Amino acid sequence: MILSNIEAIPGKRIVRHLGLVGGNTIRARHVGRDIMAGLKNLVGGEIKSYTELMSSARAEATERMIQQARARGANAIVNIRYSTASVMQAAAEIYAYGTAVVVEDE
Amino acid sequence: MGTLVSLLIPISLLAVGYGIGHWNERRHLKSLARREEIYKDVVVTNWKRLPEGLSIESAFLCTGSVVIASDYFKTFAAGLKNLIGGRLRTLETLLMRARREAVLRMTKTAKANGASFILNTRFETMMVMRTRRGRGAPMVEMLAYGTALRLAPTSTEQDTSH
């Protein structure tokens, strides 16, 4: 599966559009992680556990989007966008969406 | 005595936040400058169209993200500034640090996978407020993503003129 966030796949030609596909996930924060984050809020700096949490959530949303595209018979997704929303005080929603397409070599 | 202790705690928290927070920030800015120098051969753009004259081998999506917390002093200063309005300079630097770090991580992934050009870079920001007893400590999640291009060897040479 080839992914891109522009409206084409460089070096390929789009032969069929299969519509919008997307995948989401909502992750809640972990209590242990939150304690560390509380400390980090005192001195500032990167909160590595949250960075990992968010990137694994994003990988999962992307994976769900890919599954949906594969089910439609696509071999690429173009114009991918990520969107994030803070749904509750300790939870975040990650949404990945794009257009599923079939591409061929130019 | 009781009031003295209850005053001492926030003051020492402010001092610790200011001291370590400041030191952390300076260290981060230095490391950003150093790493930006390493990855400067990767061209990061937010163009949507392919540039002319590049022969592209393949493309892939690449991302970079970071979660950065503000320190106690910055949060306090921003809270005060919020009352009177104006520039929240401390939070400006926090967001710019997060943005530069996210771009760097995206660039690093691109380079590690053999790409030397990034198209259509986008940012996605999420502010997370940890509310504790009515006080919120800002935390920012910054994502940078774009389409990385692996260029054919001939076009990389032309590309150094950028």
Side-chain angles (χ1 to χ4, degrees):
Chain A
M1 188 69 67
I2 310 167
L3 307 178
S4 96
N5 75 337
I6 53 174
E7 280 147 27
I9 301 284
K12 307 264 183 194
R13 189 162 44 90
I14 296 173
V15 289
R16 214 141 52 89
H17 285 85
L18 299 167
L20 193 71
V21 288
N24 79 340
T25 179
I26 298 184
R27 291 290 174 96
R29 300 204 295 250
H30 190 269
V31 181
R33 281 173 167 160
D34 241 26
I35 292 167
M36 270 310 290
L39 285 176
K40 267 293 161 81
N41 268 321
L42 178 60
V43 296
E46 181 182 359
I47 307 172
K48 288 218 173 66
S49 61
Y50 281 4
T51 305
E52 279 158 25
L53 181 81
M54 295 300 283
S55 55
S56 79
R58 201 160 280 125
E60 193 177 319
T62 311
E63 192 45 50
R64 287 183 185 169
M65 172 180 70
I66 290 172
Q67 274 169 19
Q68 210 183 343
R70 202 167 278 149
R72 290 195 198 171
N75 63 359
I77 305 172
V78 293
N79 216 10
I80 292 171
R81 292 284 181 274
Y82 285 108
S83 149
T84 329
S86 188
V87 283
M88 270 168 51
Q89 204 176 301
E93 193 223 16
I94 312 275
Y95 182 53
Y97 60 105
T99 304
V101 292
V102 178
V103 293
E104 271 177 2
D105 281 331
E106 244 169 13
Chain B
M1 190 63 199
T3 45
L4 192 69
V5 171
S6 64
L7 256 178
L8 260 176
I9 292 172
I11 288 174
S12 53
L13 285 181
L14 278 177
V16 168
Y18 182 76
I20 304 182
H22 205 71
W23 179 74
N24 259 340
E25 181 168 286
R26 260 208 325 232
R27 204 176 51 151
H28 189 209
L29 287 173
K30 252 185 220 161
S31 123
L32 280 173
R34 186 174 49 80
R35 283 177 297 154
E36 274 167 357
E37 195 60 31
I38 298 173
Y39 296 109
K40 72 174 178 192
D41 54 329
V42 179
V43 185
V44 182
T45 71
N46 65 348
W47 301 340
K48 284 198 90 172
R49 302 219 175 275
L50 296 176
E52 297 284 317
L54 290 183
S55 62
I56 295 145
E57 277 185 347
S58 59
F60 59 95
L61 189 75
C62 76
T63 62
S65 72
V66 67
V67 179
I68 293 190
S70 156
D71 61 55
Y72 196 84
F73 179 79
K74 278 202 178 119
T75 309
F76 181 79
L80 279 184
K81 213 46 189 302
N82 227 340
L83 293 176
I84 56 169
R87 254 178 101 174
L88 301 181
R89 201 164 306 189
T90 51
L91 294 186
E92 285 175 2
T93 49
L94 181 79
L95 280 157
M96 278 319 286
R97 269 164 64 204
R99 208 161 274 137
R100 283 169 70 186
E101 183 69 46
V103 169
L104 256 177
R105 289 183 183 181
M106 172 183 74
T107 315
K108 192 179 171 188
T109 323
K111 197 177 179 180
N113 288 290
S116 57
F117 208 99
I118 300 175
L119 284 175
N120 203 20
T121 307
R122 301 257 162 166
F123 291 105
E124 176 72 30
T125 321
M126 185 175 63
M127 282 305 264
V128 188
M129 294 293 269
R130 280 169 45 86
T131 323
R132 231 213 242 134
R133 287 184 232 107
R135 258 175 310 188
M139 221 159 56
V140 59
E141 206 266 333
M142 186 67 71
L143 165 76
Y145 60 107
T147 303
L149 305 177
R150 289 191 193 96
L151 302 179
T154 46
S155 62
T156 12
E157 310 229 327
Q158 294 163 10
D159 194 51
T160 46
S161 58
H162 274 270

